[in-house]
Structure formats: C-alpha cells, structure tokens
Amino acid sequence: MNSNGTKGNGSEDGDRRFNATDNDDHSDLNSGFSVKFDVLPITLAVLIIAFNGLVLLLVVRRKQLRNAANYMLCSLALSDTLTGLVCVPLVIACNILREDMVCILSENFLRFTSISTVLHLLAITADRYLAIVHSLRYYILVTPRRGFASMAIIWSVSVIVAFVQLIWHNPSTSDVNKDPSQKIKDIEVTYDIVNLVVFFGFPLCFMIFVNSKIFYEVVRQSNIMRQNNAPGMEDSKRRQRREWKAALIFVIMFIVYIVCWLPYFLWRLQQNIGDSFFELGMITEYVFIYLRFLSSLLNPCIYVLGKNDFRKALKKNRPRSNSISKASVTKYSFLKTTTL
C-alpha cells in the first residue's frame, strides 16, 4: 500500500484509484483535476472553514463562551478547520501532482485529523458525563488548567500516532506509483488494525457506556422532578431540559462520528488487505473517502445550533436591521404628529 492508503497493484494514485467499472469515470478520476469529482470536496472544504471559523470567532468575541467545555469545542473546531484548510487541498494536490512527498503528507494529515476528532469527542463526552452525573463537583473536577492539559495531550497523541508512519514511509525512498514490499504491507495492516481498535472500537464502546449512564441519570432526575412537583422546582426543570438537549446533541455527534469515520477505517483496511476482505465499487469508495470530511462540517453545525449559549451568541451577532427600521418608523410618526 502506498502513502495515501491505496492498493499496491502497480496503479496506485492516492484516493482516486478506485475499482472503476466505467472507463469514462475512471479516466476522469486519474486525469488530474476533474470538475466532476473535485468540485464537491473543494466546496466542502470552503464550508468546513466557514462554519468552524464562525465557532472560533464566537468564542473570541463573546466572553460568556469562554469556559473549559467550550474551549474543548473550540479546539475541535480548530482541528476541523485544518481538515478544510490542509487535508482536502493535500488530497486534491496528491491526485493532480502525484508526487511522493505530497501524497505522504496527505495521508499523514488525514490520519492526524481523524485521531484528533475522535479524541476531542471522547473528551467532550467525558465533560458532559461529569456535568450531568457529577454536577455538584463539576467545577471542582473540570478546571481551565485541566482542560488545557487535556487539549495538549490530544494534539500531541494525534501528531505522534499520525506521523509515526514516516518511520517506514520515507519520502526520499517511497514511490506512490510502485507496489510496496510485503514487509511494508504487513506493517500497514497491523498499523490500520491497531488504529481501528484503539481509535474507533474503544471510543465506540466508551461513548455507548457513557451516553447510557447520562441518559439513565437524566431519566432518574426527571422522575425525581415529577415526584416533587413544587413551585420552587421550576429552575431545576429548566436545567433538566437543558441536560436532555445536551445529551441528545452529543448522541447525534456520536452517530455522526460512526457514519463518517467507520467507512474510512474499513476502506483503509480494504486497501491493504485487498478485495478478499470486501469489494467496493467506484462510487462507494468515493463516498467512503469523502464522508470522513463531512464530519468536520457537521460537528460545528450540531453544537452551534444545538447549544444554548452558542445560539444566544449567534443571535447577538445578527445585524439589528429590524430594530433600526422600527426606530425610524417611530421617529417618523412622532415628527408627523408634532407637525400636525
């Protein structure tokens, strides 16, 4: 397998070497820039940068958003921004230029953002668990200092795991257009299986367990609220509704992660093991490849539209054209009345 996760069959060419059955499509995929296949990822990259840039801008401009939980979301937004700013252009550049260094960097950065995404989601899920299940101790357990330490660990682990491939994929000796040795293939298979287990299988089990605990706690607290239905419980009920929404948001993020990243990890294995693992058509491979980028677009949409504090900050940034027009109408009416 070459540096960009494609089959070692003598015709390796980054993400474009699909099992094409249609000659015209196959030609489009391997003939440099293709409007048919490259406009979508370019558009996706622009949207990723715009939406995640909005999240970063909101946190910078609104002091009320600056807390440990939102700093982690901000770190995830930065990771997603790198997907649109670096990863997508590198994938397209690899397919057009077909240079060893570009394709190796493309694969490394794709791996880096995938690991970064799942580690951020793990940290965010753990934060929600502490906020709901251990709400009284939350601000003792979750401090800005610990939050920044967690972010430093996430970024460090992502860089180390992603770029460890450079040990056996030396840019000065690798050739993306040649079949790699059996030794390299064996290393790649082992590496991909470990990544699948550590950065997909384990997080999947962790998220299922933690979200189950969160829902159990939310249901338990809701039952207590109903049994003690007193006037003074209104604030607790509102808080409970917010916790239900927060739990739902992170379940959606969890589902998005599965849909967007499981196909990518399976595709990576398929490229190393071959069609004996399972066989994919050209369109299916194309969808599998670019689903991994979709996660970086959906993450900010989910927590900006879903979190109450982000929604409020977003509304405050809207232009107050209606208020100005109403004020102008009032002033005009007043002048007209006084004139009369």
Side-chain angles (χ1 to χ4, degrees):
M1 193 204 76
N2 75 344
S3 64
N4 209 30
T6 54
K7 295 176 184 177
N9 57 5
S11 60
E12 301 176 3
D13 182 29
D15 288 340
R16 294 268 184 94
R17 292 298 183 177
F18 302 146
N19 297 324
T21 56
D22 185 90
N23 291 330
D24 292 335
D25 285 343
H26 187 88
S27 176
D28 287 341
L29 285 168
N30 297 298
S31 59
F33 182 82
S34 168
V35 173
K36 183 177 180 180
F37 290 99
D38 289 330
V39 169
L40 176 60
I42 291 174
T43 304
L44 195 58
V46 172
L47 292 174
I48 288 170
I49 295 169
F51 278 83
N52 287 284
L54 176 62
V55 175
L56 297 173
L57 181 64
L58 287 174
V59 174
V60 169
R61 294 187 61 179
R62 299 294 175 184
K63 289 184 179 180
Q64 64 268 28
L65 293 177
R66 299 173 194 171
N67 54 57
N70 286 343
Y71 283 145
M72 188 62 70
L73 290 175
C74 198
S75 182
L76 174 61
L78 180 60
S79 177
D80 288 334
T81 300
L82 289 176
T83 298
L85 199 61
V86 179
C87 291
V88 177
L90 277 176
V91 169
I92 296 173
C94 171
N95 295 328
I96 295 174
L97 302 175
R98 303 176 188 178
E99 293 183 0
D100 299 333
M101 178 63 76
V102 175
C103 292
I104 291 173
L105 286 177
S106 170
E107 175 57 30
N108 291 145
F109 270 99
L110 285 171
R111 179 78 66 181
F112 164 71
T113 54
S114 67
I115 294 171
S116 175
T117 296
V118 67
L119 292 180
H120 276 99
L121 290 178
L122 281 175
I124 292 167
T125 303
D127 175 81
R128 286 299 85 199
Y129 172 80
L130 294 174
I132 295 173
V133 179
H134 300 286
S135 56
L136 297 178
R137 301 176 56 203
Y138 175 75
Y139 290 104
I140 298 174
L141 296 171
V142 180
T143 63
R145 184 176 179 180
R146 289 176 178 173
F148 286 124
S150 299
M151 284 183 274
I153 292 172
I154 288 172
W155 287 97
S156 299
V157 170
S158 300
V159 169
I160 292 170
V161 174
F163 288 91
V164 72
Q165 278 185 300
L166 294 177
I167 295 175
W168 60 85
H169 270 310
N170 190 337
S172 61
T173 58
S174 298
D175 187 345
V176 297
N177 295 307
K178 290 184 179 179
D179 197 9
S181 65
Q182 186 60 44
K183 181 181 178 181
I184 296 296
K185 289 182 180 180
D186 293 339
I187 294 174
E188 283 289 334
V189 170
T190 304
Y191 177 69
D192 284 336
I193 291 175
V194 169
N195 274 281
L196 178 63
V197 173
V198 175
F199 295 109
F200 186 84
F202 170 75
L204 181 65
C205 296
F206 176 81
M207 290 181 183
I208 291 173
F209 173 76
V210 170
N211 281 301
S212 299
K213 294 281 286 184
I214 289 174
F215 275 116
Y216 171 79
E217 184 64 22
V218 170
V219 170
R220 187 184 71 83
Q221 292 182 14
S222 296
N223 291 333
I224 293 174
M225 299 297 177
R226 282 194 295 269
Q227 292 171 6
N228 300 279
N229 190 13
M233 300 294 288
E234 287 302 317
D235 290 339
S236 296
K237 288 181 179 179
R238 283 195 293 270
R239 178 175 170 272
Q240 197 68 26
R241 284 194 294 268
R242 288 198 299 269
E243 289 178 352
W244 267 112
K245 289 180 181 178
L248 180 61
I249 288 168
F250 289 102
V251 168
I252 292 172
M253 291 179 71
F254 162 67
I255 293 172
V256 166
Y257 172 74
I258 294 178
V259 172
C260 292
W261 286 107
L262 178 59
Y264 168 66
F265 282 112
L266 292 178
W267 173 78
R268 283 279 308 178
L269 273 178
Q270 195 263 354
Q271 299 304 301
N272 283 303
I273 298 176
D275 292 338
S276 58
F277 184 42
F278 60 84
E279 189 172 352
L280 296 174
M282 183 195 67
I283 299 301
T284 305
E285 288 200 30
Y286 183 84
V287 171
F288 273 28
I289 289 167
Y290 287 105
L291 268 177
R292 62 190 174 188
F293 297 133
L294 187 60
S295 172
S296 297
L297 175 62
L298 294 179
N299 284 337
C301 294
I302 292 169
Y303 55 70
V304 169
L305 297 177
K307 286 195 83 220
N308 190 47
D309 53 352
F310 273 105
R311 283 203 310 272
K312 287 181 178 178
L314 199 57
K315 288 177 182 178
K316 288 181 180 180
N317 279 350
R318 290 179 182 175
R320 300 182 179 180
S321 55
N322 292 335
S323 301
I324 295 172
S325 61
K326 288 179 181 178
S328 301
V329 169
T330 304
K331 182 178 179 182
Y332 173 75
S333 300
F334 174 76
L335 291 173
K336 186 176 180 182
T337 303
T338 53
T339 303
L340 292 173

